[in-house]
């Protein structure tokens, strides 16, 4: 179990989604800002390439270094949080994000910026893995609703990020980096004030070891979801990192496109995903969303040179990814009896490996062949993730039984 508990909480006493303690809202707000970092650089990718005289594949390394460091760092987050406690792990993550994003805003060449984005990824790993465990543990509305709240924070962060990135990026490409640093200072103050002191004390009974995430992956269900997420992230990050280069829009235009994408992601993750889960079951709904996403990427690959097709496809993809993110996160939380923070770290390690390889691969494929190929290859990876889930259905079907029991 997590180190933070509510003795009075029972299944019958679970309250509504919005009736949460101040500590949950503090983590929620900080999560929004942390996830802004994902979409914030989207509108300024072409501008960075222009100002720092970099190729598209070099610029996509801003996603690669961020995700690669985050993937590896996910393996140590459990060991750190079980010693520092949830509160201080979150605050440490915020400090690291603020520091590296500020330094990124002051850098003068693409390689130093890529390295600093890696440092940003370390801070995000400390924050993200712990934030999910914190919201689930501190929430008084049950695991399923807590996950929806967490996904809503992701959606809001990802949707507001590009808008802020486009607005600040229109002034200077450095603006979004310095803006995140400022917002993280506000998040630090909020968490310092509202997170309970109990959250800063880790349980003396169980300190997580560095080997725990690897042990967790011995659970076939968790391994299946992790590999499936790594595969579908090839499509996700191809869209996120390479689509800005083919839309032919300025910073503000890209900001609005990804705002639309993020809004649909946020709305579907909160309101539509639970309905799909109820109607189809977690695994079947997940496979349906991923199949539709693969088809959308294929459309982008065929009509890459038609601006409006790419723009509409990017925005619509938000709905499919919003649904899938909630479905797969819920599935991971119910896949095993492993402690949630450890399960999240193990799953995230695999997931972000896909997110690390995909952006650079997309840029390179475009340079070697043409701008259509990255999206077609991304679609192929997403379809493979669907096939992988179905071939391993016997190992994950219990997830739907756990959900129905709740």
């Amino acid at each position: 179990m997590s180190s933070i508990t509510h003795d009075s909480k029972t299944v019958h006493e679970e309250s509504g989604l919005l009736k949460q303690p101040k500590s949950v809202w503090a983590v929620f707000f900080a999560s929004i800002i942390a996830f802004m970092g994902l979409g914030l650089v989207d509108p300024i990718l072409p501008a960075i390439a222009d100002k720092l005289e970099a190729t598209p594949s070099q610029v996509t390394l801003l996603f690669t270094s961020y995700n690669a460091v985050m993937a590896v760092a996910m393996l140590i987050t459990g060991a750190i949080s079980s010693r520092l406690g949830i509160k201080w792990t979150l605050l440490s993550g915020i400090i690291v994000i603020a520091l590296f994003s500020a330094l990124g805003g002051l850098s003068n060449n693409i390689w130093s910026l890529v390295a600093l984005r890696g440092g940003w990824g370390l801070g995000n790993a400390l924050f993200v893995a712990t934030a999910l465990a914190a919201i689930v543990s501190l929430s008084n509305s049950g695991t399923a609703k807590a996950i929806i709240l967490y996904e809503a924070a992701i959606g809001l962060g990802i949707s507001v990020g590009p808008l802020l990135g486009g607005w600040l990026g229109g002034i200077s490409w450095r603006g979004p980096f310095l803006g995140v640093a400022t917002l993280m200072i506000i998040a630090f103050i909020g968490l310092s004030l509202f997170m309970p002191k109990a959250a800063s004390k880790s349980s003396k009974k169980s300190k997580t070891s560095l080997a725990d995430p690897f042990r967790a992956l011995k659970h076939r269900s968790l391994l299946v979801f992790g590999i499936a997420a790594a595969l579908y992230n090839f499509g996700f990050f191809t869209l996120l990192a390479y689509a800005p280069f083919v839309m032919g829009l300025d910073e503000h235009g890209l900001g609005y496109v990804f705002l639309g994408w993020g809004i649909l992601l946020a709305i579907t993750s909160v309101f539509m995903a639970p309905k799909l889960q109820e109607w189809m079951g977690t695994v079947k709904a997940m496979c349906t969303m991923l199949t539709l996403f693969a088809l959308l990427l294929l459309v982008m690959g065929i009509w890459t040179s038609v601006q409006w097709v790419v723009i509409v496809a990017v925005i619509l993809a938000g709905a499919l990814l919003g649904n899938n993110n909630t479905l797969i996160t819920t599935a991971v939380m119910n896949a095993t009896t492993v402690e949630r923070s450890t399960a999240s770290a193990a799953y995230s390690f695999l997931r972000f490996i896909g997110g690390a390889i995909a952006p650079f691969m997309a840029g390179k494929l475009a340079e070697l062949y043409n701008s259509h190929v990255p999206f077609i290859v991304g679609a192929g990876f997403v379809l493979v993730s669907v096939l992988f889930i179905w071939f391993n259905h016997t190992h994950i079907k219990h997830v739907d039984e756990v959900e129905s029991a709740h």
Side-chain angles (χ1 to χ4, degrees):
M1 290 293 292
S2 175
S3 59
I4 309 170
T5 58
H6 288 279
D7 296 331
S8 61
K9 186 175 77 178
T10 68
V11 174
H12 300 293
E13 290 170 338
E14 286 178 0
S15 39
L17 182 66
L18 300 178
K19 292 181 180 177
Q20 303 290 350
K22 286 180 182 177
S23 55
V24 170
W25 292 117
V27 178
F28 179 80
F29 173 72
S31 297
I32 292 172
I33 299 170
F35 279 101
M36 278 183 187
L38 193 64
L40 193 86
V41 297
D42 265 324
I44 56 170
L45 290 177
I48 291 172
D50 180 49
K51 300 294 182 186
L52 298 183
E53 298 178 354
T55 65
S57 65
Q58 287 172 338
V59 174
T60 57
L61 285 171
L62 292 174
F63 282 99
T64 293
S65 63
Y66 178 80
N67 286 326
V69 172
M70 210 184 323
V72 176
M74 282 293 175
L75 298 173
I76 63 169
T77 54
I80 293 171
S81 66
S82 66
R83 286 159 178 78
L84 289 182
I86 285 182
K87 181 176 182 177
W88 287 108
T89 306
L90 289 172
L91 291 175
S92 300
I94 285 173
I95 291 168
V96 173
I97 293 169
L99 175 65
F100 281 98
S101 58
L103 290 172
L106 300 173
S107 64
N108 290 309
N109 68 77
I110 188 64
W111 300 114
S112 63
L113 191 57
V114 167
L116 290 166
R117 268 286 278 185
W120 187 339
L122 171 63
N124 236 46
L126 288 169
F127 184 88
V128 169
T130 318
L132 176 56
I135 286 181
V136 170
S137 303
L138 290 163
S139 172
N140 54 18
S141 59
T143 301
K145 287 179 181 174
I147 289 170
I148 290 169
L149 201 62
Y150 175 74
E151 291 295 337
I154 293 175
L156 285 168
I158 288 175
S159 59
V160 175
L163 185 65
L164 187 67
W167 180 63
L168 293 174
I171 301 166
S172 166
W173 70 263
R174 300 177 190 276
F177 290 90
L178 299 173
V180 163
T182 306
L183 287 169
M184 286 320 269
I185 293 167
I186 298 168
F188 182 89
I189 295 167
L191 280 181
S192 300
L193 292 174
F194 296 116
M195 280 286 280
K197 288 182 181 178
S200 66
K201 296 175 184 176
S202 58
S203 171
K204 303 298 178 190
K205 289 183 287 184
S206 58
K207 286 189 176 177
T208 307
S209 80
L210 292 172
D212 282 353
F214 292 105
R215 290 195 196 104
L217 290 174
K218 289 180 182 177
H219 292 265
R220 187 67 175 267
S221 53
L222 195 59
L223 185 64
V224 168
F225 286 127
I227 292 172
L231 290 167
Y232 103 77
N233 259 2
F234 273 87
F236 183 105
F237 280 97
T238 294
L239 180 137
L240 212 57
Y242 190 69
F245 289 102
V246 300
M247 280 192 269
L249 298 170
D250 64 8
E251 293 89 343
H252 294 290
L254 289 170
Y256 286 122
V257 170
F258 280 99
L259 170 68
W261 172 83
I263 287 171
L264 279 184
L265 189 145
I267 290 170
T268 53
S269 66
V270 176
F271 299 107
M272 191 174 171
K275 299 291 183 188
L276 286 172
Q277 200 169 16
E278 205 177 296
W279 178 41
M280 302 174 75
T282 307
V283 177
K284 192 179 285 187
M286 197 188 305
C287 288
T288 303
M289 292 301 107
L290 288 174
T291 303
L292 291 172
F293 179 47
L295 291 173
L296 209 54
L297 283 169
L298 193 60
V299 166
M300 291 174 72
I302 295 168
W303 290 284
T304 312
S305 54
V306 184
Q307 188 188 47
W308 72 267
V309 171
V310 177
I311 291 171
V312 170
V314 167
I315 294 170
L316 289 178
L320 304 175
L321 292 166
N323 282 320
N324 189 66
N325 287 350
T326 295
L327 291 165
I328 200 163
T329 304
T330 306
V332 167
M333 292 293 103
N334 292 318
T336 68
T337 53
V338 173
E339 188 179 349
R340 287 191 182 104
S341 57
T342 303
S344 176
Y347 158 73
S348 296
F349 165 66
L350 292 175
R351 175 169 60 131
F352 287 117
I353 286 173
I357 299 168
F360 181 68
M361 188 183 78
K364 270 296 170 193
L365 285 171
E367 286 170 18
L368 291 170
Y369 302 103
N370 57 60
S371 58
H372 300 262
V373 176
F375 300 110
I376 294 168
V377 171
F381 273 101
V382 177
L383 277 176
V384 170
S385 77
V386 176
L387 293 172
F388 184 75
I389 290 169
W390 275 113
F391 282 133
N392 288 280
H393 188 258
T394 52
H395 301 287
I396 57 174
K397 62 183 180 182
H398 67 280
V399 167
D400 287 318
E401 291 159 18
V402 172
E403 272 304 304
S404 61
H406 288 307

